[in-house]
Amino acid sequence: MKKLVNDVHEVVKETLEGFGLAHADLVTVHLDPDFVTRATPKEEGKVALVSGGGSGHEPLHAGYVGLGMLDAAVPGAVFTSPTPDPILEATKAADHGAGVLHIVKNYTGDVLNFETAAELAEMEDIRVTSVVVNDDVAVEDSLYTAGRRGVAGTILVEKIAGASAERGDDLDTVTAIATKVNASMRSMGLALGPCTVPHAGKPSFDLGEDEIEIGIGIHGEPGYRRGAMESVDVLVAELYGKVREDLGLVAGERVVTLVNGMGGTPGSELYICHRALAALLEADGVQIVRSLVGDYVTSLEMPGVSITLLRVDDELLDLFDAPVATPAWK
């Protein structure tokens, strides 16, 4: 294993220290317990958003702390859920008297630990609601979930619900909008190869030289089939077909597209994927109104890509376009 680390047991701590030094104008890093808050807190009386999960998916979640998105993020160990204590401390730090929305990817550990933290926060008179993101259409259950996984679409929930909170909506409204975004999007990804978790020191799975895994999770969980490498057009068509069918997209609708790199695929290849996706949507009479292409929710250095489609109306699009200032989305 060759990685730019000093000590495999200090990866998260040293990452947070570097992250805080690089973005001191936007975020404040707290250690022991580990969480990240906005450098300039939101005004009193506004709803706060807190999210988190295992590290290794950078820039998710800490990269989206700031104006218009999250008030706090809680990183766990690599690919491991944070425990309730740091989630509770982040929730307390983020609260501005109007309640806190927890945005949780659907992984069993994350769900249980955020639930426990919410119960503890309620005991301290902080009202907490939650939205469990489950946008991955690849499999109904996985190694780590009951039901569908929460993957790259999580950032769209964070962006749009964050804009709702920033404009002063109450907790019920922000929660309803986050729920609407989750219900309006679907995602699916593929891997060209594995990643290596630092403390494991070896690839998380094996793939043959010409093999790919379709429907992979962001921790390297198996997808729904393994097959031979194909052209980008063929692969994107398979991802798109599954997503479109599950979302029930029809001609005349509008979507936000997200072509997300898993950490080890260059931007040039992601744009080729977007080219293929745009052609498929145009052929089906679906209009792309906004596009994101890049590494937003990664899986360490895994080569691969996921696509997310979000069906939008005027309300969601206005919130998507609202101002944002975070380390990873400006």
Side-chain angles (χ1 to χ4, degrees), residues 207-228:
L207 268 180
E209 182 66 24
D210 295 323
E211 283 187 317
I212 58 171
E213 183 86 21
I214 303 283
I216 194 84
I218 57 175
H219 306 95
E221 308 97 308
Y224 68 90
R225 80 171 180 88
R226 181 172 291 192

Side-chain angles (χ1 to χ4, degrees), residues 75-303:
V78 175
F79 290 1
T80 302
S81 173
T83 60
D85 286 346
I87 300 171
L88 173 62
E89 292 305 313
T91 301
K92 291 163 61 177
D95 180 46
H96 306 296
V100 178
L101 170 65
H102 284 173
I103 299 172
V104 187
K105 299 189 302 300
N106 188 33
Y107 289 94
T108 301
D110 288 347
V111 172
L112 292 176
N113 289 335
F114 269 88
E115 284 180 349
T116 300
E119 292 172 359
L120 296 171
E122 297 276 3
M123 294 171 65
E124 300 199 27
D125 296 325
I126 299 173
R127 186 181 172 216
V128 178
T129 59
S130 66
V131 171
V132 177
V133 181
N134 57 353
D135 54 316
D136 190 352
V137 303
V139 293
E140 286 298 325
D141 300 289
S142 78
L143 294 177
Y144 307 113
T145 68
R148 291 177 169 177
R149 300 174 291 222
V151 288
T154 306
I155 65 158
L156 300 176
V157 179
E158 294 175 356
K159 173 65 187 76
I160 293 174
S164 170
E166 203 72 55
R167 74 181 178 186
D169 292 344
D170 63 26
L171 182 59
D172 290 337
T173 301
V174 175
T175 305
I177 287 172
T179 302
K180 178 179 176 180
V181 175
N182 185 47
S184 302
M185 68 180 183
R186 302 288 190 277
S187 302
M188 198 164 84
L190 63 85
L192 308 180
C195 61
T196 298
V197 176
H199 60 262
K202 61 181 182 180
S204 53
F205 58 93
D206 296 318
L207 268 180
E209 182 66 24
D210 295 323
E211 283 187 317
I212 58 171
E213 183 86 21
I214 303 283
I216 194 84
I218 57 175
H219 306 95
E221 308 97 308
Y224 68 90
R225 80 171 180 88
R226 181 172 291 192
M229 185 66 193
E230 303 272 6
S231 70
V232 171
D233 287 351
V234 170
L235 295 176
V236 171
E238 181 168 345
L239 299 182
Y240 168 71
K242 297 283 188 183
V243 169
R244 178 199 58 190
E245 180 181 354
D246 203 275
L247 192 54
L249 271 182
V250 297
E253 292 195 290
R254 298 177 294 168
V255 294
V256 171
T257 60
L258 166 60
V259 174
N260 174 62
M262 296 288 198
T265 295
S268 57
E269 296 177 24
L270 298 180
Y271 281 113
I272 294 173
C273 292
H274 179 73
R275 172 183 178 274
L277 179 62
L280 291 163
L281 286 163
E282 182 179 14
D284 284 342
V286 178
Q287 181 186 5
I288 298 176
V289 290
R290 301 291 184 273
S291 300
L292 299 172
V293 179
D295 288 350
Y296 289 88
V297 181
T298 62
S299 184
L300 294 170
E301 78 278 30
M302 181 186 290

Side-chain angles (χ1 to χ4, degrees), residues 9-21 27-37 55 62 73-76 85-86 89-90 93:
H9 302 293
E10 297 292 331
V11 167
V12 174
K13 175 178 177 289
E14 293 186 0
T15 297
L16 286 172
E17 290 173 345
F19 179 75
L21 291 169
V27 300
T28 299
V29 170
H30 308 260
L31 299 174
D32 194 24
D34 299 344
F35 62 95
V36 177
T37 56
S55 296
V74 193
D85 286 346
E89 292 305 313

